[in-house]
PDB file of all heavy atoms in Angstrom:
ATOM      1  N   GLN A   1       0.819  -1.205   0.000  1.00 89.00           N
ATOM      2  CA  GLN A   1       0.000   0.000   0.000  1.00 89.00           C
ATOM      3  C   GLN A   1       0.856   1.260   0.000  1.00 89.00           C
ATOM      4  O   GLN A   1       0.541   2.246  -0.677  1.00 89.00           O
ATOM      5  CB  GLN A   1      -0.940   0.005   1.215  1.00 89.00           C
ATOM      6  CG  GLN A   1      -2.080   1.018   1.112  1.00 89.00           C
ATOM      7  CD  GLN A   1      -2.959   0.775  -0.105  1.00 89.00           C
ATOM      8  OE1 GLN A   1      -3.412  -0.346  -0.337  1.00 89.00           O
ATOM      9  NE2 GLN A   1      -3.186   1.813  -0.896  1.00 89.00           N
ATOM     10  N   ARG A   2       1.958   1.244   0.752  1.00 93.00           N
ATOM     11  CA  ARG A   2       2.861   2.403   0.766  1.00 93.00           C
ATOM     12  C   ARG A   2       3.435   2.669  -0.618  1.00 93.00           C
ATOM     13  O   ARG A   2       3.518   3.824  -1.071  1.00 93.00           O
ATOM     14  CB  ARG A   2       4.000   2.175   1.767  1.00 93.00           C
ATOM     15  CG  ARG A   2       3.612   2.399   3.216  1.00 93.00           C
ATOM     16  CD  ARG A   2       4.845   2.528   4.102  1.00 93.00           C
ATOM     17  NE  ARG A   2       5.682   1.332   4.054  1.00 93.00           N
ATOM     18  CZ  ARG A   2       5.556   0.293   4.860  1.00 93.00           C
ATOM     19  NH1 ARG A   2       4.592   0.288   5.775  1.00 93.00           N
ATOM     20  NH2 ARG A   2       6.365  -0.743   4.767  1.00 93.00           N
ATOM     21  N   LEU A   3       3.846   1.602  -1.312  1.00 94.00           N
ATOM     22  CA  LEU A   3       4.418   1.768  -2.652  1.00 94.00           C
ATOM     23  C   LEU A   3       3.359   2.235  -3.651  1.00 94.00           C
ATOM     24  O   LEU A   3       3.663   3.003  -4.572  1.00 94.00           O
ATOM     25  CB  LEU A   3       5.041   0.451  -3.114  1.00 94.00           C
ATOM     26  CG  LEU A   3       6.290   0.000  -2.346  1.00 94.00           C
ATOM     27  CD1 LEU A   3       6.737  -1.383  -2.791  1.00 94.00           C
ATOM     28  CD2 LEU A   3       7.429   1.008  -2.522  1.00 94.00           C
ATOM     29  N   ILE A   4       2.129   1.790  -3.464  1.00 90.00           N
ATOM     30  CA  ILE A   4       1.037   2.247  -4.331  1.00 90.00           C
ATOM     31  C   ILE A   4       0.760   3.731  -4.106  1.00 90.00           C
ATOM     32  O   ILE A   4       0.588   4.507  -5.062  1.00 90.00           O
ATOM     33  CB  ILE A   4      -0.235   1.398  -4.090  1.00 90.00           C
ATOM     34  CG1 ILE A   4      -0.020  -0.031  -4.604  1.00 90.00           C
ATOM     35  CG2 ILE A   4      -1.447   2.022  -4.780  1.00 90.00           C
ATOM     36  CD1 ILE A   4      -1.118  -1.011  -4.208  1.00 90.00           C
ATOM     37  N   GLU A   5       0.742   4.141  -2.853  1.00 91.00           N
ATOM     38  CA  GLU A   5       0.490   5.549  -2.535  1.00 91.00           C
ATOM     39  C   GLU A   5       1.601   6.456  -3.061  1.00 91.00           C
ATOM     40  O   GLU A   5       1.345   7.596  -3.454  1.00 91.00           O
ATOM     41  CB  GLU A   5       0.341   5.710  -1.018  1.00 91.00           C
ATOM     42  CG  GLU A   5      -0.939   5.085  -0.465  1.00 91.00           C
ATOM     43  CD  GLU A   5      -0.967   5.047   1.048  1.00 91.00           C
ATOM     44  OE1 GLU A   5       0.041   5.489   1.675  1.00 91.00           O
ATOM     45  OE2 GLU A   5      -1.980   4.588   1.615  1.00 91.00           O
ATOM     46  N   LYS A   6       2.840   5.965  -3.074  1.00 93.00           N
ATOM     47  CA  LYS A   6       3.972   6.739  -3.598  1.00 93.00           C
ATOM     48  C   LYS A   6       4.002   6.750  -5.119  1.00 93.00           C
ATOM     49  O   LYS A   6       4.749   7.530  -5.716  1.00 93.00           O
ATOM     50  CB  LYS A   6       5.284   6.152  -3.079  1.00 93.00           C
ATOM     51  CG  LYS A   6       5.556   6.394  -1.609  1.00 93.00           C
ATOM     52  CD  LYS A   6       6.757   5.582  -1.139  1.00 93.00           C
ATOM     53  CE  LYS A   6       8.002   5.902  -1.937  1.00 93.00           C
ATOM     54  NZ  LYS A   6       9.183   5.120  -1.449  1.00 93.00           N
ATOM     55  N   GLY A   7       3.216   5.871  -5.751  1.00 92.00           N
ATOM     56  CA  GLY A   7       3.227   5.778  -7.207  1.00 92.00           C
ATOM     57  C   GLY A   7       4.302   4.847  -7.736  1.00 92.00           C
ATOM     58  O   GLY A   7       4.470   4.726  -8.956  1.00 92.00           O
ATOM     59  N   THR A   8       5.035   4.183  -6.828  1.00 96.00           N
ATOM     60  CA  THR A   8       6.065   3.232  -7.260  1.00 96.00           C
ATOM     61  C   THR A   8       5.416   2.004  -7.878  1.00 96.00           C
ATOM     62  O   THR A   8       5.983   1.381  -8.782  1.00 96.00           O
ATOM     63  CB  THR A   8       6.941   2.821  -6.061  1.00 96.00           C
ATOM     64  OG1 THR A   8       7.498   4.002  -5.475  1.00 96.00           O
ATOM     65  CG2 THR A   8       8.064   1.902  -6.493  1.00 96.00           C
ATOM     66  N   ILE A   9       4.243   1.658  -7.375  1.00 93.00           N
ATOM     67  CA  ILE A   9       3.443   0.590  -7.969  1.00 93.00           C
ATOM     68  C   ILE A   9       2.113   1.181  -8.407  1.00 93.00           C
ATOM     69  O   ILE A   9       1.438   1.865  -7.625  1.00 93.00           O
ATOM     70  CB  ILE A   9       3.192  -0.565  -6.979  1.00 93.00           C
ATOM     71  CG1 ILE A   9       4.515  -1.244  -6.602  1.00 93.00           C
ATOM     72  CG2 ILE A   9       2.244  -1.598  -7.592  1.00 93.00           C
ATOM     73  CD1 ILE A   9       4.366  -2.356  -5.584  1.00 93.00           C
ATOM     74  N   GLU A  10       1.761   0.940  -9.645  1.00 91.00           N
ATOM     75  CA  GLU A  10       0.488   1.425 -10.189  1.00 91.00           C
ATOM     76  C   GLU A  10      -0.342   0.229 -10.645  1.00 91.00           C
ATOM     77  O   GLU A  10       0.143  -0.616 -11.388  1.00 91.00           O
ATOM     78  CB  GLU A  10       0.731   2.354 -11.375  1.00 91.00           C
ATOM     79  CG  GLU A  10      -0.542   2.856 -12.030  1.00 91.00           C
ATOM     80  CD  GLU A  10      -0.265   3.748 -13.236  1.00 91.00           C
ATOM     81  OE1 GLU A  10       0.907   4.088 -13.475  1.00 91.00           O
ATOM     82  OE2 GLU A  10      -1.239   4.081 -13.956  1.00 91.00           O
ATOM     83  N   VAL A  11      -1.563   0.152 -10.177  1.00 87.00           N
ATOM     84  CA  VAL A  11      -2.490  -0.898 -10.597  1.00 87.00           C
ATOM     85  C   VAL A  11      -3.692  -0.192 -11.220  1.00 87.00           C
ATOM     86  O   VAL A  11      -4.382   0.575 -10.551  1.00 87.00           O
ATOM     87  CB  VAL A  11      -2.940  -1.773  -9.412  1.00 87.00           C
ATOM     88  CG1 VAL A  11      -3.779  -2.943  -9.909  1.00 87.00           C
ATOM     89  CG2 VAL A  11      -1.742  -2.278  -8.618  1.00 87.00           C
ATOM     90  N   ALA A  12      -3.913  -0.420 -12.505  1.00 84.00           N
ATOM     91  CA  ALA A  12      -4.936   0.354 -13.207  1.00 84.00           C
ATOM     92  C   ALA A  12      -5.529  -0.451 -14.354  1.00 84.00           C
ATOM     93  O   ALA A  12      -4.885  -1.351 -14.891  1.00 84.00           O
ATOM     94  CB  ALA A  12      -4.334   1.653 -13.747  1.00 84.00           C
ATOM     95  N   PRO A  13      -6.768  -0.126 -14.745  1.00 85.00           N
ATOM     96  CA  PRO A  13      -7.356  -0.788 -15.918  1.00 85.00           C
ATOM     97  C   PRO A  13      -6.620  -0.396 -17.188  1.00 85.00           C
ATOM     98  O   PRO A  13      -5.981   0.661 -17.260  1.00 85.00           O
ATOM     99  CB  PRO A  13      -8.803  -0.283 -15.923  1.00 85.00           C
ATOM    100  CG  PRO A  13      -8.781   0.974 -15.138  1.00 85.00           C
ATOM    101  CD  PRO A  13      -7.708   0.815 -14.110  1.00 85.00           C
ATOM    102  N   LEU A  14      -6.699  -1.249 -18.185  1.00 89.00           N
ATOM    103  CA  LEU A  14      -5.963  -1.048 -19.435  1.00 89.00           C
ATOM    104  C   LEU A  14      -6.288   0.282 -20.105  1.00 89.00           C
ATOM    105  O   LEU A  14      -5.415   0.905 -20.712  1.00 89.00           O
ATOM    106  CB  LEU A  14      -6.264  -2.213 -20.395  1.00 89.00           C
ATOM    107  CG  LEU A  14      -5.561  -2.189 -21.750  1.00 89.00           C
ATOM    108  CD1 LEU A  14      -4.051  -2.182 -21.586  1.00 89.00           C
ATOM    109  CD2 LEU A  14      -6.002  -3.383 -22.587  1.00 89.00           C
ATOM    110  N   ALA A  15      -7.526   0.757 -19.967  1.00 84.00           N
ATOM    111  CA  ALA A  15      -7.922   2.012 -20.605  1.00 84.00           C
ATOM    112  C   ALA A  15      -7.053   3.178 -20.141  1.00 84.00           C
ATOM    113  O   ALA A  15      -6.884   4.165 -20.873  1.00 84.00           O
ATOM    114  CB  ALA A  15      -9.396   2.306 -20.312  1.00 84.00           C
ATOM    115  N   PHE A  16      -6.471   3.087 -18.943  1.00 85.00           N
ATOM    116  CA  PHE A  16      -5.652   4.163 -18.403  1.00 85.00           C
ATOM    117  C   PHE A  16      -4.278   4.230 -19.053  1.00 85.00           C
ATOM    118  O   PHE A  16      -3.516   5.161 -18.793  1.00 85.00           O
ATOM    119  CB  PHE A  16      -5.484   3.990 -16.894  1.00 85.00           C
ATOM    120  CG  PHE A  16      -6.695   4.368 -16.075  1.00 85.00           C
ATOM    121  CD1 PHE A  16      -7.974   4.292 -16.613  1.00 85.00           C
ATOM    122  CD2 PHE A  16      -6.557   4.785 -14.766  1.00 85.00           C
ATOM    123  CE1 PHE A  16      -9.090   4.632 -15.867  1.00 85.00           C
ATOM    124  CE2 PHE A  16      -7.666   5.128 -14.000  1.00 85.00           C
ATOM    125  CZ  PHE A  16      -8.938   5.050 -14.561  1.00 85.00           C
ATOM    126  N   MET A  17      -3.928   3.238 -19.883  1.00 89.00           N
ATOM    127  CA  MET A  17      -2.612   3.199 -20.507  1.00 89.00           C
ATOM    128  C   MET A  17      -2.546   4.031 -21.793  1.00 89.00           C
ATOM    129  O   MET A  17      -1.459   4.360 -22.271  1.00 89.00           O
ATOM    130  CB  MET A  17      -2.219   1.761 -20.845  1.00 89.00           C
ATOM    131  CG  MET A  17      -2.107   0.817 -19.654  1.00 89.00           C
ATOM    132  SD  MET A  17      -0.842   1.294 -18.477  1.00 89.00           S
ATOM    133  CE  MET A  17      -1.872   1.870 -17.107  1.00 89.00           C
ATOM    134  N   ARG A  18      -3.682   4.378 -22.346  1.00 88.00           N
ATOM    135  CA  ARG A  18      -3.711   5.074 -23.641  1.00 88.00           C
ATOM    136  C   ARG A  18      -2.990   6.415 -23.567  1.00 88.00           C
ATOM    137  O   ARG A  18      -3.166   7.179 -22.623  1.00 88.00           O
ATOM    138  CB  ARG A  18      -5.155   5.286 -24.086  1.00 88.00           C
ATOM    139  CG  ARG A  18      -5.284   5.758 -25.545  1.00 88.00           C
ATOM    140  CD  ARG A  18      -6.742   5.817 -25.970  1.00 88.00           C
ATOM    141  NE  ARG A  18      -7.378   4.509 -25.901  1.00 88.00           N
ATOM    142  CZ  ARG A  18      -7.272   3.584 -26.853  1.00 88.00           C
ATOM    143  NH1 ARG A  18      -6.539   3.821 -27.924  1.00 88.00           N
ATOM    144  NH2 ARG A  18      -7.885   2.425 -26.727  1.00 88.00           N
ATOM    145  N   GLY A  19      -2.145   6.671 -24.571  1.00 89.00           N
ATOM    146  CA  GLY A  19      -1.466   7.956 -24.676  1.00 89.00           C
ATOM    147  C   GLY A  19      -0.231   8.100 -23.821  1.00 89.00           C
ATOM    148  O   GLY A  19       0.399   9.154 -23.814  1.00 89.00           O
ATOM    149  N   ARG A  20       0.157   7.058 -23.104  1.00 90.00           N
ATOM    150  CA  ARG A  20       1.306   7.141 -22.208  1.00 90.00           C
ATOM    151  C   ARG A  20       2.534   6.465 -22.816  1.00 90.00           C
ATOM    152  O   ARG A  20       2.428   5.614 -23.686  1.00 90.00           O
ATOM    153  CB  ARG A  20       0.981   6.484 -20.858  1.00 90.00           C
ATOM    154  CG  ARG A  20      -0.201   7.070 -20.145  1.00 90.00           C
ATOM    155  CD  ARG A  20      -0.538   6.312 -18.883  1.00 90.00           C
ATOM    156  NE  ARG A  20       0.558   6.322 -17.920  1.00 90.00           N
ATOM    157  CZ  ARG A  20       0.554   5.649 -16.770  1.00 90.00           C
ATOM    158  NH1 ARG A  20      -0.490   4.871 -16.476  1.00 90.00           N
ATOM    159  NH2 ARG A  20       1.572   5.718 -15.941  1.00 90.00           N
ATOM    160  N   THR A  21       3.730   6.861 -22.324  1.00 91.00           N
ATOM    161  CA  THR A  21       4.968   6.153 -22.626  1.00 91.00           C
ATOM    162  C   THR A  21       5.581   5.768 -21.293  1.00 91.00           C
ATOM    163  O   THR A  21       5.819   6.630 -20.442  1.00 91.00           O
ATOM    164  CB  THR A  21       5.950   7.036 -23.414  1.00 91.00           C
ATOM    165  OG1 THR A  21       5.345   7.416 -24.652  1.00 91.00           O
ATOM    166  CG2 THR A  21       7.243   6.289 -23.692  1.00 91.00           C
ATOM    167  N   LEU A  22       5.821   4.472 -21.099  1.00 93.00           N
ATOM    168  CA  LEU A  22       6.252   3.955 -19.802  1.00 93.00           C
ATOM    169  C   LEU A  22       7.739   3.621 -19.837  1.00 93.00           C
ATOM    170  O   LEU A  22       8.153   2.616 -20.409  1.00 93.00           O
ATOM    171  CB  LEU A  22       5.423   2.723 -19.439  1.00 93.00           C
ATOM    172  CG  LEU A  22       3.906   2.962 -19.374  1.00 93.00           C
ATOM    173  CD1 LEU A  22       3.162   1.643 -19.232  1.00 93.00           C
ATOM    174  CD2 LEU A  22       3.557   3.904 -18.231  1.00 93.00           C
ATOM    175  N   ASN A  23       8.557   4.494 -19.252  1.00 96.00           N
ATOM    176  CA  ASN A  23      10.002   4.294 -19.172  1.00 96.00           C
ATOM    177  C   ASN A  23      10.383   3.724 -17.809  1.00 96.00           C
ATOM    178  O   ASN A  23       9.726   3.991 -16.800  1.00 96.00           O
ATOM    179  CB  ASN A  23      10.740   5.615 -19.386  1.00 96.00           C
ATOM    180  CG  ASN A  23      10.539   6.177 -20.779  1.00 96.00           C
ATOM    181  OD1 ASN A  23      10.639   5.454 -21.764  1.00 96.00           O
ATOM    182  ND2 ASN A  23      10.253   7.465 -20.866  1.00 96.00           N
ATOM    183  N   GLY A  24      11.462   2.955 -17.768  1.00 96.00           N
ATOM    184  CA  GLY A  24      11.991   2.444 -16.513  1.00 96.00           C
ATOM    185  C   GLY A  24      10.986   1.661 -15.699  1.00 96.00           C
ATOM    186  O   GLY A  24      11.025   1.698 -14.471  1.00 96.00           O
ATOM    187  N   SER A  25      10.113   0.930 -16.376  1.00 97.00           N
ATOM    188  CA  SER A  25       9.010   0.255 -15.697  1.00 97.00           C
ATOM    189  C   SER A  25       8.999  -1.246 -15.986  1.00 97.00           C
ATOM    190  O   SER A  25       9.456  -1.685 -17.037  1.00 97.00           O
ATOM    191  CB  SER A  25       7.664   0.850 -16.130  1.00 97.00           C
ATOM    192  OG  SER A  25       7.616   2.239 -15.903  1.00 97.00           O
ATOM    193  N   PHE A  26       8.472  -1.993 -15.038  1.00 97.00           N
ATOM    194  CA  PHE A  26       8.168  -3.405 -15.256  1.00 97.00           C
ATOM    195  C   PHE A  26       6.649  -3.462 -15.404  1.00 97.00           C
ATOM    196  O   PHE A  26       5.922  -3.222 -14.446  1.00 97.00           O
ATOM    197  CB  PHE A  26       8.617  -4.261 -14.071  1.00 97.00           C
ATOM    198  CG  PHE A  26       8.692  -5.737 -14.374  1.00 97.00           C
ATOM    199  CD1 PHE A  26       9.913  -6.405 -14.332  1.00 97.00           C
ATOM    200  CD2 PHE A  26       7.552  -6.467 -14.695  1.00 97.00           C
ATOM    201  CE1 PHE A  26       9.983  -7.773 -14.611  1.00 97.00           C
ATOM    202  CE2 PHE A  26       7.609  -7.820 -14.972  1.00 97.00           C
ATOM    203  CZ  PHE A  26       8.841  -8.474 -14.927  1.00 97.00           C
ATOM    204  N   ILE A  27       6.187  -3.766 -16.611  1.00 96.00           N
ATOM    205  CA  ILE A  27       4.766  -3.647 -16.937  1.00 96.00           C
ATOM    206  C   ILE A  27       4.185  -5.043 -17.151  1.00 96.00           C
ATOM    207  O   ILE A  27       4.746  -5.843 -17.898  1.00 96.00           O
ATOM    208  CB  ILE A  27       4.571  -2.813 -18.219  1.00 96.00           C
ATOM    209  CG1 ILE A  27       5.417  -1.542 -18.172  1.00 96.00           C
ATOM    210  CG2 ILE A  27       3.100  -2.472 -18.428  1.00 96.00           C
ATOM    211  CD1 ILE A  27       5.849  -1.042 -19.531  1.00 96.00           C
ATOM    212  N   ILE A  28       3.059  -5.316 -16.508  1.00 96.00           N
ATOM    213  CA  ILE A  28       2.387  -6.599 -16.669  1.00 96.00           C
ATOM    214  C   ILE A  28       0.970  -6.368 -17.162  1.00 96.00           C
ATOM    215  O   ILE A  28       0.201  -5.629 -16.536  1.00 96.00           O
ATOM    216  CB  ILE A  28       2.340  -7.378 -15.345  1.00 96.00           C
ATOM    217  CG1 ILE A  28       3.757  -7.664 -14.841  1.00 96.00           C
ATOM    218  CG2 ILE A  28       1.563  -8.691 -15.517  1.00 96.00           C
ATOM    219  CD1 ILE A  28       3.807  -8.274 -13.446  1.00 96.00           C
ATOM    220  N   LEU A  29       0.651  -6.965 -18.296  1.00 95.00           N
ATOM    221  CA  LEU A  29      -0.723  -6.977 -18.804  1.00 95.00           C
ATOM    222  C   LEU A  29      -1.287  -8.358 -18.524  1.00 95.00           C
ATOM    223  O   LEU A  29      -0.859  -9.347 -19.110  1.00 95.00           O
ATOM    224  CB  LEU A  29      -0.767  -6.671 -20.303  1.00 95.00           C
ATOM    225  CG  LEU A  29      -2.129  -6.870 -20.998  1.00 95.00           C
ATOM    226  CD1 LEU A  29      -3.207  -6.001 -20.364  1.00 95.00           C
ATOM    227  CD2 LEU A  29      -2.015  -6.593 -22.502  1.00 95.00           C
ATOM    228  N   ASP A  30      -2.247  -8.412 -17.613  1.00 93.00           N
ATOM    229  CA  ASP A  30      -2.841  -9.680 -17.201  1.00 93.00           C
ATOM    230  C   ASP A  30      -4.162  -9.897 -17.929  1.00 93.00           C
ATOM    231  O   ASP A  30      -4.811  -8.939 -18.352  1.00 93.00           O
ATOM    232  CB  ASP A  30      -3.067  -9.641 -15.685  1.00 93.00           C
ATOM    233  CG  ASP A  30      -3.351 -11.011 -15.098  1.00 93.00           C
ATOM    234  OD1 ASP A  30      -2.806 -12.001 -15.623  1.00 93.00           O
ATOM    235  OD2 ASP A  30      -4.102 -11.088 -14.117  1.00 93.00           O
ATOM    236  N   GLU A  31      -4.572 -11.149 -18.071  1.00 92.00           N
ATOM    237  CA  GLU A  31      -5.829 -11.496 -18.753  1.00 92.00           C
ATOM    238  C   GLU A  31      -5.880 -10.892 -20.165  1.00 92.00           C
ATOM    239  O   GLU A  31      -6.898 -10.364 -20.608  1.00 92.00           O
ATOM    240  CB  GLU A  31      -7.036 -11.024 -17.931  1.00 92.00           C
ATOM    241  CG  GLU A  31      -7.140 -11.675 -16.571  1.00 92.00           C
ATOM    242  CD  GLU A  31      -7.549 -13.145 -16.643  1.00 92.00           C
ATOM    243  OE1 GLU A  31      -8.121 -13.560 -17.656  1.00 92.00           O
ATOM    244  OE2 GLU A  31      -7.287 -13.877 -15.665  1.00 92.00           O
ATOM    245  N   ALA A  32      -4.771 -11.001 -20.876  1.00 94.00           N
ATOM    246  CA  ALA A  32      -4.645 -10.348 -22.179  1.00 94.00           C
ATOM    247  C   ALA A  32      -5.565 -10.930 -23.239  1.00 94.00           C
ATOM    248  O   ALA A  32      -5.790 -10.309 -24.285  1.00 94.00           O
ATOM    249  CB  ALA A  32      -3.197 -10.419 -22.663  1.00 94.00           C
ATOM    250  N   GLN A  33      -6.126 -12.119 -22.989  1.00 94.00           N
ATOM    251  CA  GLN A  33      -7.074 -12.678 -23.962  1.00 94.00           C
ATOM    252  C   GLN A  33      -8.318 -11.815 -24.092  1.00 94.00           C
ATOM    253  O   GLN A  33      -9.043 -11.910 -25.081  1.00 94.00           O
ATOM    254  CB  GLN A  33      -7.474 -14.107 -23.574  1.00 94.00           C
ATOM    255  CG  GLN A  33      -8.444 -14.235 -22.415  1.00 94.00           C
ATOM    256  CD  GLN A  33      -7.758 -14.208 -21.058  1.00 94.00           C
ATOM    257  OE1 GLN A  33      -6.541 -14.038 -20.983  1.00 94.00           O
ATOM    258  NE2 GLN A  33      -8.525 -14.389 -20.004  1.00 94.00           N
ATOM    259  N   ASN A  34      -8.552 -10.943 -23.130  1.00 92.00           N
ATOM    260  CA  ASN A  34      -9.730 -10.074 -23.164  1.00 92.00           C
ATOM    261  C   ASN A  34      -9.438  -8.678 -23.680  1.00 92.00           C
ATOM    262  O   ASN A  34     -10.235  -7.755 -23.491  1.00 92.00           O
ATOM    263  CB  ASN A  34     -10.373 -10.005 -21.766  1.00 92.00           C
ATOM    264  CG  ASN A  34     -11.066 -11.302 -21.402  1.00 92.00           C
ATOM    265  OD1 ASN A  34     -11.568 -12.011 -22.275  1.00 92.00           O
ATOM    266  ND2 ASN A  34     -11.077 -11.639 -20.132  1.00 92.00           N
ATOM    267  N   THR A  35      -8.288  -8.522 -24.336  1.00 93.00           N
ATOM    268  CA  THR A  35      -8.025  -7.299 -25.088  1.00 93.00           C
ATOM    269  C   THR A  35      -8.510  -7.484 -26.521  1.00 93.00           C
ATOM    270  O   THR A  35      -8.575  -8.606 -27.023  1.00 93.00           O
ATOM    271  CB  THR A  35      -6.525  -6.979 -25.143  1.00 93.00           C
ATOM    272  OG1 THR A  35      -5.844  -8.038 -25.845  1.00 93.00           O
ATOM    273  CG2 THR A  35      -5.936  -6.829 -23.752  1.00 93.00           C
ATOM    274  N   THR A  36      -8.848  -6.385 -27.165  1.00 92.00           N
ATOM    275  CA  THR A  36      -9.094  -6.423 -28.606  1.00 92.00           C
ATOM    276  C   THR A  36      -7.748  -6.282 -29.313  1.00 92.00           C
ATOM    277  O   THR A  36      -6.758  -5.858 -28.693  1.00 92.00           O
ATOM    278  CB  THR A  36     -10.013  -5.274 -29.036  1.00 92.00           C
ATOM    279  OG1 THR A  36      -9.329  -4.031 -28.790  1.00 92.00           O
ATOM    280  CG2 THR A  36     -11.336  -5.307 -28.259  1.00 92.00           C
ATOM    281  N   PRO A  37      -7.666  -6.608 -30.597  1.00 94.00           N
ATOM    282  CA  PRO A  37      -6.401  -6.395 -31.316  1.00 94.00           C
ATOM    283  C   PRO A  37      -5.921  -4.947 -31.234  1.00 94.00           C
ATOM    284  O   PRO A  37      -4.723  -4.691 -31.126  1.00 94.00           O
ATOM    285  CB  PRO A  37      -6.744  -6.798 -32.756  1.00 94.00           C
ATOM    286  CG  PRO A  37      -7.834  -7.816 -32.602  1.00 94.00           C
ATOM    287  CD  PRO A  37      -8.655  -7.333 -31.439  1.00 94.00           C
ATOM    288  N   GLU A  38      -6.873  -3.998 -31.258  1.00 93.00           N
ATOM    289  CA  GLU A  38      -6.509  -2.582 -31.180  1.00 93.00           C
ATOM    290  C   GLU A  38      -5.920  -2.248 -29.804  1.00 93.00           C
ATOM    291  O   GLU A  38      -4.926  -1.503 -29.697  1.00 93.00           O
ATOM    292  CB  GLU A  38      -7.723  -1.705 -31.459  1.00 93.00           C
ATOM    293  CG  GLU A  38      -8.270  -1.793 -32.879  1.00 93.00           C
ATOM    294  CD  GLU A  38      -9.115  -3.047 -33.131  1.00 93.00           C
ATOM    295  OE1 GLU A  38      -9.486  -3.738 -32.139  1.00 93.00           O
ATOM    296  OE2 GLU A  38      -9.389  -3.352 -34.310  1.00 93.00           O
ATOM    297  N   GLN A  39      -6.505  -2.794 -28.756  1.00 93.00           N
ATOM    298  CA  GLN A  39      -5.988  -2.555 -27.409  1.00 93.00           C
ATOM    299  C   GLN A  39      -4.614  -3.180 -27.226  1.00 93.00           C
ATOM    300  O   GLN A  39      -3.738  -2.595 -26.579  1.00 93.00           O
ATOM    301  CB  GLN A  39      -6.957  -3.119 -26.372  1.00 93.00           C
ATOM    302  CG  GLN A  39      -8.233  -2.321 -26.200  1.00 93.00           C
ATOM    303  CD  GLN A  39      -9.202  -3.016 -25.255  1.00 93.00           C
ATOM    304  OE1 GLN A  39      -9.309  -4.254 -25.248  1.00 93.00           O
ATOM    305  NE2 GLN A  39      -9.914  -2.230 -24.463  1.00 93.00           N
ATOM    306  N   MET A  40      -4.409  -4.364 -27.785  1.00 95.00           N
ATOM    307  CA  MET A  40      -3.110  -5.011 -27.676  1.00 95.00           C
ATOM    308  C   MET A  40      -2.027  -4.172 -28.347  1.00 95.00           C
ATOM    309  O   MET A  40      -0.942  -3.952 -27.782  1.00 95.00           O
ATOM    310  CB  MET A  40      -3.153  -6.410 -28.291  1.00 95.00           C
ATOM    311  CG  MET A  40      -1.818  -7.150 -28.258  1.00 95.00           C
ATOM    312  SD  MET A  40      -1.241  -7.527 -26.586  1.00 95.00           S
ATOM    313  CE  MET A  40      -2.256  -8.973 -26.222  1.00 95.00           C
ATOM    314  N   LYS A  41      -2.323  -3.668 -29.535  1.00 95.00           N
ATOM    315  CA  LYS A  41      -1.356  -2.815 -30.235  1.00 95.00           C
ATOM    316  C   LYS A  41      -1.085  -1.560 -29.421  1.00 95.00           C
ATOM    317  O   LYS A  41       0.074  -1.132 -29.287  1.00 95.00           O
ATOM    318  CB  LYS A  41      -1.885  -2.455 -31.626  1.00 95.00           C
ATOM    319  CG  LYS A  41      -0.938  -1.556 -32.417  1.00 95.00           C
ATOM    320  CD  LYS A  41      -1.525  -1.199 -33.775  1.00 95.00           C
ATOM    321  CE  LYS A  41      -0.608  -0.243 -34.532  1.00 95.00           C
ATOM    322  NZ  LYS A  41      -1.177   0.150 -35.848  1.00 95.00           N
ATOM    323  N   MET A  42      -2.147  -0.944 -28.891  1.00 95.00           N
ATOM    324  CA  MET A  42      -1.989   0.249 -28.067  1.00 95.00           C
ATOM    325  C   MET A  42      -1.081  -0.028 -26.884  1.00 95.00           C
ATOM    326  O   MET A  42      -0.165   0.737 -26.584  1.00 95.00           O
ATOM    327  CB  MET A  42      -3.360   0.737 -27.589  1.00 95.00           C
ATOM    328  CG  MET A  42      -3.328   1.960 -26.667  1.00 95.00           C
ATOM    329  SD  MET A  42      -3.090   1.576 -24.907  1.00 95.00           S
ATOM    330  CE  MET A  42      -4.653   0.755 -24.516  1.00 95.00           C
TER     331      MET A  42
END
């Protein structure tokens, strides 16, 4: 919870990823079978 509050860990729905560039991050997309092809590319 402390790391989440500091922003060191971010847990968010996929829609929140649009328009961003994620540097220096370890990114996990879970349940990816429920993305559309457009969302996967995004």
Side-chain angles (χ1 to χ4, degrees):
Q1 195 59 50
R2 282 195 300 270
L3 292 174
I4 291 170
E5 290 171 358
K6 288 171 58 179
T8 304
I9 296 178
E10 178 182 352
V11 186
L14 181 59
F16 284 27
M17 298 298 108
R18 191 174 299 278
R20 302 175 61 185
T21 299
L22 302 171
N23 295 314
S25 304
F26 196 116
I27 313 151
I28 299 173
L29 171 59
D30 194 33
E31 298 289 339
Q33 75 276 3
N34 288 329
T35 63
T36 64
E38 294 78 13
Q39 287 174 323
M40 178 65 79
K41 180 181 177 182
M42 178 274 292

